[in-house]
């Protein structure tokens, strides 16, 4: 096809001539991070039943590093089932989103992509879109948003596509960027991301310089069109703004201006306060940009490093004869045990502890080197805000501002009456439950305190 030797050199030359560091992102800073909580919480609490249609949500959870294993598992399971059961019917964009979600940030689902040859199947669907354009007056089977998603996934996951078709069909003048003469910002943004990926992979793909020039021109032109749809910091409308921001991050210096960034964030925060993001998909499409990520980061090895987790702060004390207090920061969704670990890291002497695995999870056996003992009828009691917990250290999810305690029971001053009843049990867990049941009588036996 082409002389293979000189091309990498030409690629290098052009690379150095183009202002290539167009990577100015605009993300929410630490102080304002809490403003994103409504979006994140809504995504975490929503009802997900629709399989592949939630691929966008899984993609975002992984890309921005929101860790929730059970939710991830549920979504990934549903997506895989859908792909298995209706692979042929899936549109190019659906399969592309499925691959992006399953393959995001080096997770075990990658095997499913390879095992099922999803990338080459996507290549076929992309090819079918192009064939349809050739025979149907330039109309794809779906739309250019989906063609762009497909191209993006093919590019990121090393699939094959015809670069000639790309340069032919993705010219900014193509009618498919428009709906009723209106430039579709969502579509243009997705195309910019896909074309930028193609462009960045030029050395691997041994792209000709003229092709590279064209593609550079396409992304620059599309980025301009997106900017010309800007008002009050939004591009198109609020629902296209997240993906437009991603496109501008990788293809323009729009956000070099701090004022531009602040204007966008201010309007987005206002829209959040107006509850504009009541659908998980709407939140999923804007969060990556707000956290400084783009879909091009999906295959970056440091993808979910530096995860943008929500932190909470809790008080923790160990009460023996004296009380040792501390305050620790843990991730939202952490359990009591995580707090104990965080405290131990702060001061090993005061907060070291040991646990023993039991059928109900980790059972705390010692704190500060002081071991509770069944034969002495002592145990370590867990409390939150003064109330003994009804779950173990490995299960109890702590809340921001909680006042957590672990106390050596019985405390030196406590009445010996509280200790009776547990004598015959030598099993620590059962003992704890018996002792506990006397602190919390069964409903109806006593007046509630
Ligand atoms: C392409 C597109 C269309 C095409 C769809 C047909 C086609 N030619 O493929 C057209 C132009 C017809 C269209 C129509 C509408 N669209 Co539209 N559309 C898109 C776009 C750019 C891509 C969708 C896509 O292919 N996704 C990828 C595939 C894999 O996902 P999918 O779920 O299988 O996609 C299907 C649905 O998205 C559906 N669809 C498209 N738009 C809408 C809108 C709504 C409300 C619903 C329920 C479904 C739907 O069509 C897709 C193809 O089958 C998105 C942009 C985005 N950010 O998602 C906007 C987008 C989803 N559309 C939007 C809107 C508002 C509409 C309309 C309500 C506009 C109107 N005033 O009539 C109508 C839908 C009316 C109806 N019949 O129910 C909004 C939704 C905002 C929101 N919060 O709900 C988006 C986000 C654009 C935006 N930034 O405003 N749309
Ligand atoms: C964070 O951004 C807001 C504007 O959105 C700004 O007012 C604030 O000073 C910034 N905080 C820090 C710590 O940079
Ligand atoms: C989720 O679905 C269940 C059952 O379908 C329903 O009871 C519940 O209210 C739904 N929750 C939300 C947040 O929509
Ligand atoms: C994790 O996701 C599940 C749904 O699978 C949800 O019920 C739970 O509240 C989420 N956890 C957190 C800490 O948000
Ligand atoms: C480029 O191609 C390689 C393999 O050819 C792939 O691993 C990578 O994710 C692609 N994308 C980018 C943006 O480098
Ligand atoms: C990409 O595909 C080529 C063959 O098309 C292969 O040689 C190469 O190892 C692949 N790279 C990755 C990162 O998968
Ligand atoms: C792209 O190329 C066209 C002509 O081929 C030219 O008119 C236009 O200015 C170029 N756009 C950019 C942003 O380079
Ligand atoms: C988002 O904010 C813009 C600018 O203030 C406003 O025009 C628009 O109505 C808002 N959209 C929603 C859905 O709240
Ligand atoms: C990968 O992500 C890191 C951190 O976000 C960034 O510094 C680096 O440039 C990215 N690499 C690529 C190839 O995009
Ligand atoms: C959360 O806490 C960890 C350390 O505990 C810290 O590295 C990270 O920056 C914090 N994140 C936020 C958003 O405050
Ligand atoms: C608490 O103090 C009492 C009396 O001062 C002492 O006998 C006991 O050993 C102490 N308990 C612990 C766990 O240090
Ligand atoms: C731990 O706490 C003890 C008692 O308050 C104190 O003497 C020691 O310096 C602390 N250690 C660290 C590492 O802070």
């Amino acid at each position: 096809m082409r002389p293979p030797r000189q091309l990498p050199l030409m690629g290098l030359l052009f690379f150095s001539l183009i202002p290539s560091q167009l990577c100015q992102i605009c993300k929410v800073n630490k102080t304002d991070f809490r403003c994103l909580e409504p979006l994140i919480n809504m995504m975490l609490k929503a009802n997900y039943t629709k399989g592949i249609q939630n691929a966008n949500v899984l993609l975002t959870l992984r890309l921005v590093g929101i860790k929730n294993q059970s939710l991830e598992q549920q979504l990934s399971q549903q997506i895989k089932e859908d792909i298995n059961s209706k692979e042929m019917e899936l549109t190019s964009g659906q399969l592309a989103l499925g691959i992006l979600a399953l393959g995001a940030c080096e997770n075990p689902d990658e095997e499913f992509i390879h095992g099922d040859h999803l990338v080459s199947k996507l290549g076929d669907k992309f090819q079918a879109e192009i064939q349809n354009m050739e025979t149907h007056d330039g109309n794809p089977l779906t739309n250019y948003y989906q063609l762009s998603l497909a191209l993006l996934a093919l590019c990121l996951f090393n699939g094959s596509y015809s670069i000639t078709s790309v340069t032919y069909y993705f010219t900014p003048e193509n009618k498919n960027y428009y709906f009723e003469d209106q430039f579709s910002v969502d579509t243009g943004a997705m195309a910019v991301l896909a074309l930028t990926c193609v462009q960045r992979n030029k050395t691997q793909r041994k792209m000709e310089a003229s092709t590279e020039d064209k593609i550079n021109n396409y992304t620059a032109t599309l980025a301009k069109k997106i900017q010309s749809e800007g008002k009050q910091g939004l591009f198109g409308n609020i629902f296209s703004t997240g993906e437009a921001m991603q496109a501008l991050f990788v293809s323009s210096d729009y956000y070099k201006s701090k004022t531009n960034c602040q204007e966008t964030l201010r309007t987005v925060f206002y829209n959040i306060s107006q509850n504009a993001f009541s659908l998980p998909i709407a939140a999923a499409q804007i969060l990556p940009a707000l956290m400084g990520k783009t879909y091009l980061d999906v295959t970056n090895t440091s993808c979910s490093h530096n995860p943008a987790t929500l932190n909470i702060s809790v008080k923790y004390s160990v009460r023996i004869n004296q009380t040792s207090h501390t305050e620790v920061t843990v991730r939202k969704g952490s359990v009591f045990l995580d707090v104990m670990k965080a405290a131990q890291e702060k001061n090993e002497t005061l907060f070291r502890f040991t646990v023993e695995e039991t059928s109900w999870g980790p059972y705390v056996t010692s704190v500060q080197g002081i071991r509770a003992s069944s034969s002495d009828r002592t145990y370590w009691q867990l409390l939150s805000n003064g109330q003994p917990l009804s779950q173990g250290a490995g299960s109890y999810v702590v809340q921001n501002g909680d006042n957590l305690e672990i106390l050596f029971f019985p405390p030196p001053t406590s009445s010996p009456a509280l200790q009776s009843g547990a004598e015959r049990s030598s099993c620590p867990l059962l003992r704890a439950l018996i002792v506990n049941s006397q602190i919390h009588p069964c409903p109806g036996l006593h007046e509630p305190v």
Side-chain angles (χ1 to χ4, degrees), residues 338-369:
D338 297 319
V339 173
M340 296 177 74
K341 285 180 187 161
Q344 180 174 245
E345 257 170 50
K346 278 184 112 172
N347 192 322
E348 174 93 32
T349 319
L350 294 178
F351 300 115
R352 76 201 138 102
F353 67 95
T354 58
V355 294
E356 186 181 289
E357 267 314 315
T358 76
S359 54
W360 284 84
Y363 177 81
V364 179
T365 47
S366 83
V367 180
Q368 227 179 74

Side-chain angles (χ1 to χ4, degrees), residues 368-384:
Q368 227 179 74
I370 296 166
R371 185 162 281 277
S373 128
S374 296
S375 58
D376 294 344
R377 296 189 299 174
T378 56
Y379 81 109
W380 282 102
Q381 186 182 43
L382 314 180
L383 302 99
S384 174

Side-chain angles (χ1 to χ4, degrees), residues 115-176:
D116 215 15
H117 307 289
L118 294 186
V119 177
S120 77
K121 284 170 183 166
L122 179 63
D124 296 343
K125 287 189 194 283
F126 185 69
Q127 192 52 38
E129 296 272 16
I130 297 208
Q131 258 156 27
N132 201 77
M133 286 198 273
E134 281 162 2
T135 54
H136 291 79
D137 193 23
N139 301 331
L141 291 166
T142 62
N143 56 56
Y144 258 33
Y145 183 88
Q146 298 201 31
L147 251 78
S148 303
L149 274 172
L151 179 60
L152 176 64
L154 287 171
C155 171
L156 289 174
F157 290 89
N158 204 13
S160 50
Y161 52 85
S162 150
I163 192 76
T164 320
S165 299
V166 170
T167 40
Y168 183 79
Y169 282 108
F170 279 82
T171 57
E173 295 75 37
N174 192 291
K175 65 171 182 185
N176 289 300

Side-chain angles (χ1 to χ4, degrees), residues 30 48 64 72 75 122 174 218 273-274 286 317 360 420:
K30 264 195 174 156
Y48 295 104
V64 307
E72 258 191 60
L75 293 175
L122 179 63
N174 192 291
Y218 296 178
S273 76
Q274 298 298 297
I286 201 166
S317 16
W360 284 84
S420 60

